[in-house]
Amino acid sequence: MNIYDIAKLAGVSIATVSRVVNNSPNVSERTKQRVLAVMEEHHYTPNVFARGLGLDSMKTIGIVCPDVRDAYVAGLVASLEGRLREYGYDCILYCSGYKKEKKEQAVELILQKRIDALVLAGSTYAGGGLQKKETDYIRQAAAQVPVFVMNGRIDGENIYCVYSSDYQATYETASAMIESGRSKILFLTDSHSYSANKKLEGYEAALRDHGLPVLGSRKLYTKNQVHYVRDILLARKDLDFDSVLATDDGLAVGAVKYAHARRLQIPKDLCIVGYNNSELAVCCEPELSSIDNFAQELCGMVIDEMMGLLREETTPPAHKEVACHLVKRCSTDF
C-alpha cells in the first residue's frame, strides 16, 4: 500500500494525502478525516516521499538515460535540464546503459536521492513493447514518484508517456519512396527498443499496403557507427536495394558513405532518409533528408506537464503522441 493507493481509495489527489500526512491547514476537516480513515484501515505508514510531496522540499528531478555519449540522448538531457532550471528545479542524472539489470539498478539508486519525479529519457526503458515484465520495475518506481517516459509507451498508475509518432512517420516516408518508384527499401536500425520497433512496423506496413514483399534480407541491424555501416554495406554483396530508410541519422550517413564508395549518385541511384534531424543531417554531402521527431519540444512538454502535476494544477494524459515531420534535403527526390 502506498500514497497513490491511499489517494485513489480516498478519492483525492496524492498532494492532498501529503498535506494530511504533514498536518497542513489547507485541507478541510471532512477530507482530512476521510483520508485518515483510509490510512488507518489499510495500516498505511507515510514514507519520506509522501512527506516531501506535501512539504515541496525536494525541488529535484531524477533523470535516467542510457548513455550520455549518444548525441540524441545528450540533446534530450540538455533540453530537460534547461527547462527544469526555468522552473527553479535541479536534476540528478544517472546513465544506466542498455541492459535490463543496469536500468533497474539505476532507477533504484536514483530513487534513494529523494527526488520529486523521475524522467526516463529514451525508448529503451519501454523495452520492445511486447513483454510487461520488461517494465515492471518502472511501475514499482511509480509507486513512489511520478514517472515520465520519453519516446516509449508503458501502461501503469502514475506513469506518463510522451512519444513521437514513429509508426506513422516511417509509414508515410516509405510510402512516398515506393510511390516515387522505389521498390527495394533497406531498413537500417541499431536497436530493438519500443521506438525502433514502431519504426519497423511502419516500414513493413507501407510495403504490404503497396503490394511489396517484406523481406528479412532488407532489414539490417547494425552498430550506429558511420564507417561500420559503410563497411557492412560494402561487404554484403547479397543486399539488393535502391533506397535506405534508417532509424538514426548516423546510420543514414553510413549509407551516404557507402554510396560514395560505390560511386552511386544520390538520390538518383540511391535515395536515403535518416531520423532525428540532427546536425549529422547537414554535415554530410549531399545533405540528408531526415525525419524530425521534435526532441526539444518533447522535453518541454514533459517538464511542463510534470510541473503541472507537482503543483496540483493539472493531471497529464497517460499517453501523448506527437507528430513527426520529414525534412527534405538533397538525399531524396520525392
Side-chain angles (χ1 to χ4, degrees):
M1 185 64 62
N2 55 58
I3 187 172
Y4 304 101
D5 297 321
I6 297 298
K8 188 173 182 179
L9 290 169
V12 298
S13 69
I14 57 173
T16 297
V17 176
S18 295
R19 292 190 185 103
V20 172
V21 167
N22 290 286
N23 200 28
S24 169
N26 299 322
V27 183
S28 71
E29 187 62 28
R30 182 178 177 179
T31 299
K32 180 179 179 180
Q33 292 306 318
R34 184 166 77 250
V35 172
L36 289 173
V38 172
M39 289 169 59
E40 183 177 357
E41 178 184 354
H42 294 277
H43 308 289
Y44 172 68
T45 302
N47 60 21
V48 293
F49 299 102
R51 297 186 186 281
L53 282 167
L55 294 170
D56 193 30
S57 60
M58 290 176 264
K59 304 283 280 187
T60 301
I61 303 302
I63 300 174
V64 177
C65 73
D67 188 347
V68 79
R69 291 173 300 180
D70 180 271
Y72 177 73
V73 172
L76 292 181
V77 172
S79 295
L80 290 167
E81 191 274 336
R83 197 80 179 97
L84 283 169
R85 208 172 336 112
E86 292 177 17
Y87 280 103
Y89 274 70
D90 292 325
C91 67
I92 300 173
L93 174 67
Y94 275 44
C95 295
S96 68
Y98 294 91
K99 293 183 178 179
K100 183 174 182 290
E101 59 270 22
K102 294 296 184 181
K103 291 187 281 188
E104 292 177 352
Q105 184 181 52
V107 169
E108 181 181 351
L109 288 171
I110 206 166
L111 286 173
Q112 296 174 13
K113 302 300 182 182
R114 297 192 67 225
I115 54 175
D116 289 295
L118 173 64
V119 180
L120 300 177
S123 64
T124 183
Y125 299 103
L130 300 175
Q131 296 182 330
K132 179 176 179 293
K133 65 180 181 180
E134 288 184 274
T135 53
D136 279 342
Y137 73 100
I138 296 173
R139 277 175 279 276
Q140 293 166 9
Q144 299 184 55
V145 295
V147 177
F148 289 79
V149 180
M150 295 197 64
N151 242 12
R153 177 169 178 147
I154 300 172
D155 294 317
E157 196 75 29
N158 208 34
I159 299 174
Y160 309 95
C161 305
V162 178
Y163 45 88
S164 304
S165 56
D166 294 319
Y167 173 95
Q168 194 65 28
T170 51
Y171 179 89
E172 292 176 355
T173 301
S175 294
M177 286 178 166
I178 295 165
E179 289 161 11
S180 70
R182 311 285 174 168
S183 60
K184 303 174 184 178
I185 306 172
L186 177 66
F187 183 84
L188 280 181
T189 186
D190 66 333
S191 173
H192 296 298
S193 68
Y194 175 89
S195 176
N197 286 345
K198 287 297 176 183
K199 294 168 186 174
L200 177 60
E201 289 173 15
Y203 158 81
E204 292 178 337
L207 293 178
R208 286 192 296 267
D209 287 353
H210 289 81
L212 295 175
V214 178
L215 303 177
S217 60
R218 292 203 184 112
K219 293 181 286 187
L220 184 59
Y221 178 88
T222 179
K223 292 179 184 178
N224 191 356
Q225 296 174 6
V226 172
H227 286 166
Y228 186 89
V229 173
R230 177 201 62 189
D231 294 343
I232 284 291
L233 293 179
L234 288 171
R236 290 287 301 272
K237 305 299 184 182
D238 58 311
L239 290 178
D240 179 23
F241 57 98
D242 58 16
S243 47
V244 174
L245 178 53
T247 62
D248 184 87
D249 287 336
L251 296 168
V253 174
V256 171
K257 295 284 188 180
Y258 158 81
H260 290 332
R262 288 284 313 277
R263 299 186 183 278
L264 300 175
Q265 294 184 49
I266 303 173
K268 180 182 177 181
D269 299 324
L270 191 65
C271 170
I272 304 172
V273 174
Y275 217 103
N276 296 335
N277 195 34
S278 66
E279 283 296 306
L280 286 174
V282 294
C283 288
C284 64
E285 183 60 40
E287 292 189 359
L288 185 68
S289 294
S290 181
I291 297 170
D292 193 342
N293 57 0
F294 300 105
Q296 190 169 351
E297 288 80 357
L298 285 177
C299 292
M301 285 181 195
V302 166
I303 300 305
D304 290 345
E305 292 185 351
M306 178 190 297
M307 292 299 121
L309 178 66
L310 294 178
R311 295 174 177 184
E312 205 182 355
E313 296 170 350
T314 58
T315 300
H319 305 116
K320 177 179 281 190
E321 188 173 43
V322 178
C324 301
H325 173 68
L326 174 63
V327 179
K328 296 179 182 179
R329 297 190 179 92
C330 302
S331 65
T332 52
D333 55 2
F334 57 84

